[in-house]
C-alpha cells in the first residue's frame, strides 16, 4: 500500500513513474470531450473519499473529475459533515473509512491530522494539502515545466514571496528531481529550516536572497503564490502586503530571468498584488497549464497509490 503524503517521502523513481503516467494519460485524452471516460478504467468499482476541511476549487474538481474519468466513484465529505477529530478520533475515523472506501484524499489544516489518518487507515491516503505542504500541486508543476522546457534537473527555480506550504513542497521536489532553488522574500516569511535542510542534504543548492532582482537573475522558472489566506485578519493582510510588496512578480522583475523563463502560480491569484496581470497573461505564463495538470498528475498519483 502506497500513501502519497509528501514528495520527499516518496521514492524518486516512483515520482518519475507517476509523472510518466500522468503525461501518457494526458496524451491519450487529446481531442476527447472533458466528460468522456478514459479508455482504461483502472478505478472501475472503486470508491474514493474526498475530505475537505478547507474550501477548494481546483483540488475538489480535479480529484472528482479524475476519479470519474478512470471509472471510479467519489464521496465528497466536509469537515463539518464528519466533525473530524471532534466527535470521533482521527484514528477511529480512519479505521471506519477503511471499511467503506478504497482510497482517501484529505485536504486539512494541521499536518498531524493527515499523518494520523495515514497511520491508522488500511487503505492509501493522499495529501490534498495541509498548512505545511502541498505535494499534488508541485507534481503538476513539475509536469508542466517539463512539457514546455524538458527535464527540470539542473534548472534554477526562484520562489518569490512567502515561504509557505507550496514553497515547502517545491523544496522537497528540488531534492528529489535535482533542481536548484532560490528563495526571495522577507526574513519573517522564510521557509522552514527543516525543508531547506532536506533539499541541501539531497545535494542541491538552496539560496536565500533578499534582493528579488538578484534572486531572479538567470532563472529558468519563477514561482509565486498569494500573499494572504482567507483566514488572515485585515490588519494581518496589511502587514503582509507591506512586507511582500518588494517581491511582486512584474515585468521588470521577469526581465532579470532568462528570456524563456516560465512563470507559475498555483492559483487563486490576487492580480496586481503578488503578480501583475501582464505577467499572468503574458507569453511566459503557464498558470492554466498548471491548473489542468492537477487533473492528470493526481490521476497518476491515485493509480500509483492503488497499484492499478
Amino acid at each position: 500500500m502506497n500513501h502519497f503524503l509528501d514528495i520527499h517521502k516518496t521514492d524518486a523513481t516512483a515520482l518519475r513513474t507517476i509523472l510518466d503516467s500522468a503525461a501518457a494519460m494526458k496524451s491519450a485524452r487529446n481531442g476527447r470531450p472533458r466528460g468522456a471516460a478514459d479508455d482504461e478504467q483502472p478505478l472501475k468499482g472503486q470508491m474514493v473519499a474526498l475530505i475537505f476541511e478547507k474550501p477548494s476549487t481546483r483540488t475538489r474538481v480535479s480529484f472528482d473529475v479524475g476519479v470519474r474519468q478512470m471509472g471510479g466513484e467519489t464521496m465528497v465529505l466536509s469537515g463539518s459533515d464528519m466533525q473530524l477529530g471532534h466527535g470521533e478520533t482521527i484514528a477511529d475515523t480512519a479505521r471506519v473509512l477503511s471499511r467503506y472506501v478504497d482510497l482517501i484524499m484529505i485536504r486539512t489544516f494541521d499536518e498531524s491530522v493527515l499523518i494520523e489518518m495515514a497511520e491508522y487507515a488500511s487503505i492509501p491516503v493522499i495529501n490534498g494539502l495541509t498548512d505545511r505542504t502541498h505535494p499534488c500541486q508541485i507534481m503538476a508543476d513539475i509536469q508542466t515545466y517539463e512539457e514546455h522546457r524538458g527535464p527540470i534537473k539542473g534548472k534554477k527555480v526562484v520562489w518569490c514571496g512567502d515561504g509557505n506550504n507550496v514553497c515547502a513542497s517545491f523544496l522537497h521536489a528540488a531534492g528529489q528531481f535535482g533542481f536548484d532553488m532560490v528563495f526571495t522574500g522577507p526574513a519573517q516569511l522564510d521557509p522552514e529550516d527543516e525543508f531547506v535542510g532536506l533539499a541541501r542534504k539531497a545535494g542541491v543548492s538552496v539560496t536565500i536572497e533578499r534582493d528579488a532582482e538578484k534572486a531572479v537573475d538567470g532563472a529558468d522558472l519563477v514561482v509565486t503564490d498569494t500573499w494572504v489566506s482567507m483566514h488572515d485578519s485585515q490588519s494581518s493582510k496589511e502587514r503582509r502586503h507591506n512586507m511582500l510588496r518588494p517581491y511582486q512578480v512584474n515585468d521588470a522583475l521577469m526581465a532579470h530571468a532568462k528570456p524563456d523563463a516560465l512563470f507559475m502560480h498555483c492559483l487563486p491569484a490576487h492580480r496586481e498584488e503578488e503578480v501583475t496581470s501582464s505577467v499572468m497573461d503574458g507569453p511566459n505564463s503557464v498558470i492554466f497549464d498548471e491548473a489542468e495538470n492537477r487533473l492528470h498528475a493526481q490521476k497518476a498519483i491515485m493509480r500509483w497509490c492503488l497499484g492499478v
Side-chain angles (χ1 to χ4, degrees):
M1 181 178 67
N2 295 314
H3 297 305
F4 189 79
L5 304 182
D6 273 314
I7 288 175
H8 70 296
K9 295 177 180 177
T10 305
D11 180 77
T13 302
L15 294 172
R16 180 52 61 186
T17 297
I18 290 168
L19 287 185
D20 289 346
S21 174
M25 285 191 288
K26 181 176 183 178
S27 177
R29 290 197 62 83
N30 281 346
R32 283 173 169 263
R34 300 299 182 196
D38 292 350
D39 288 334
E40 286 188 89
Q41 296 283 279
L43 266 60
K44 187 173 182 179
Q46 304 214 47
M47 177 66 72
V48 179
L50 306 177
I51 302 173
F52 293 94
E53 286 199 291
K54 280 190 168 187
S56 167
T57 298
R58 275 151 294 278
T59 300
R60 176 168 178 166
V61 175
S62 56
F63 267 107
D64 200 348
V65 171
V67 172
R68 292 166 188 255
Q69 286 181 354
M70 293 191 291
E73 296 186 53
T74 60
M75 177 181 295
V76 181
L77 302 165
S78 72
S80 59
D81 290 335
M82 306 177 66
Q83 297 187 343
L84 199 60
H86 301 293
E88 182 177 60
T89 66
I90 303 298
D92 286 350
T93 299
R95 292 183 180 108
V96 169
L97 287 177
S98 297
R99 303 294 181 100
Y100 297 147
V101 303
D102 301 288
L103 176 67
I104 297 169
M105 187 289 301
I106 182 167
R107 181 180 175 95
T108 187
F109 294 93
D110 195 330
E111 183 184 58
S112 66
V113 174
L114 168 76
I115 300 305
E116 189 171 354
M117 182 73 73
E119 181 180 355
Y120 289 96
S122 57
I123 57 175
V125 174
I126 295 173
N127 176 3
L129 173 143
T130 71
D131 285 346
R132 290 191 82 199
T133 60
H134 196 1
C136 290
Q137 177 65 55
I138 290 355
M139 291 297 284
D141 291 355
I142 303 298
Q143 179 182 356
T144 304
Y145 183 88
E146 295 193 338
E147 282 179 349
H148 288 268
R149 297 289 185 265
I152 198 167
K153 184 175 183 179
K155 302 300 184 181
K156 177 180 177 180
V157 176
V158 180
W159 180 276
C160 297
D162 180 4
N164 62 11
N165 52 354
V166 185
C167 179
S169 287
F170 250 114
L171 285 165
H172 292 161
Q176 295 291 63
F177 290 98
F179 57 86
D180 297 328
M181 270 198 75
V182 178
F183 171 82
T184 186
Q188 302 96 312
L189 299 176
D190 277 353
E192 292 185 36
D193 289 341
E194 176 188 339
F195 300 147
V196 173
L198 282 168
R200 287 174 174 164
K201 187 176 179 180
V204 298
S205 169
V206 179
T207 305
I208 308 294
E209 172 56 67
R210 301 298 171 207
D211 185 315
E213 291 184 355
K214 288 181 181 177
V216 170
D217 185 51
D220 297 286
L221 171 61
V222 178
V223 193
T224 193
D225 196 3
T226 180
W227 290 346
V228 297
S229 82
M230 65 187 72
H231 308 289
D232 290 333
S233 66
Q234 187 59 39
S235 60
S236 173
K237 290 177 182 179
E238 290 173 3
R239 286 195 303 272
R240 289 173 69 85
H241 277 193
N242 290 335
M243 280 193 294
L244 288 160
R245 199 163 285 116
Y247 302 98
Q248 182 191 67
V249 181
N250 49 41
D251 290 323
L253 186 63
M254 287 296 293
H256 291 270
K258 289 182 179 177
D260 66 344
L262 297 180
F263 169 74
M264 291 189 185
H265 189 306
C266 67
L267 303 178
H270 295 83
R271 288 172 178 261
E272 314 311 327
E273 292 185 11
E274 70 269 14
V275 58
T276 60
S277 289
S278 60
V279 171
M280 286 185 67
D281 300 327
N284 296 64
S285 174
V286 290
I287 57 174
F288 297 112
D289 291 342
E290 278 182 271
E292 178 187 346
N293 283 339
R294 287 289 301 276
L295 170 66
H296 308 296
Q298 289 162 185
K299 286 168 68 175
I301 290 167
M302 288 187 279
R303 292 191 68 169
W304 176 78
C305 286
L306 291 166
V308 295

